[in-house]
Amino acid sequence: MLILWDPRTGEAIHKLTGQDTRFRLEGGINCLAVNPTSTVAIVGGAEGGLRAVNLVQGTVLAQMEGHEEGASIEQVAFNEIPTVNTGGGAASSGPSVTVMVSVGTDGRVCTWEASGFKLRSTGAHEVRLPFFLRQAGPFREQGFPPCSTKYWP
């Protein structure tokens, strides 16, 4: 169940439950990330499944499949990836693109387009917990404290 509260009144604004089959996540919610404008959340399930939720309207925007069925989604994040303009000679930074990243116990790291919720790429990681996932400049950084860290564009 996901409940969005109004902090001023303490009242529930939206409530999504497993009764809505588009939202149902077997095993419950394992992780959640909210985009920088606080309008969309990505929710990862304890037994797999990812959902994108419109926090303003309280509706499910997408059901995303990229991890093995039954694999626990351990972490989700929104990241900004800078683009490069090469027109007119020297390369320069262009506008950034927002992506969502999910990490599961199936050994996959999936990158999703935040604008259309389509799978953009899939990478691999060692299944070892706990770990972290964050933006490190133009790269995504994945680490397994205290010993290994991976970077990829």
Side-chain angles (χ1 to χ4, degrees), residues 22 35 40-42 50-53 60-65 78-79 97-100 111-121:
R22 289 192 65 210
N35 72 346
V40 175
I42 182 171
L50 287 161
R51 304 292 183 266
V53 177
V60 177
L61 297 170
Q63 296 174 297
M64 298 170 289
E65 303 295 332
F78 284 88
N79 285 313
V97 174
T98 303
V99 297
M100 301 174 295
T111 303
W112 309 85
E113 293 178 5
S115 59
F117 311 108
K118 300 215 183 296
L119 185 61
R120 184 176 178 153
S121 66

Side-chain angles (χ1 to χ4, degrees), residues 7-126:
R8 294 170 296 217
T9 65
E11 294 183 28
I13 300 170
H14 301 295
K15 185 184 292 187
L16 292 167
T17 68
Q19 292 175 347
D20 178 346
T21 57
R22 289 192 65 210
F23 184 73
R24 183 176 298 138
L25 290 166
E26 298 301 326
I29 296 171
N30 210 34
C31 54
L32 176 137
V34 177
N35 72 346
T37 59
S38 299
T39 56
V40 175
I42 182 171
V43 180
E47 295 181 18
L50 287 161
R51 304 292 183 266
V53 177
N54 180 317
L55 297 175
V56 177
Q57 298 175 0
T59 57
V60 177
L61 297 170
Q63 296 174 297
M64 298 170 289
E65 303 295 332
H67 292 276
E68 291 177 10
E69 187 174 332
S72 175
I73 308 303
E74 296 294 314
Q75 190 165 9
V76 291
F78 284 88
N79 285 313
E80 296 289 324
I81 299 176
T83 59
V84 177
N85 294 328
T86 57
S92 62
S93 294
S96 62
V97 174
T98 303
V99 297
M100 301 174 295
V101 181
S102 59
V103 180
T105 57
D106 57 359
R108 293 181 185 169
V109 178
C110 297
T111 303
W112 309 85
E113 293 178 5
S115 59
F117 311 108
K118 300 215 183 296
L119 185 61
R120 184 176 178 153
S121 66
T122 302
H125 71 83
E126 300 171 34

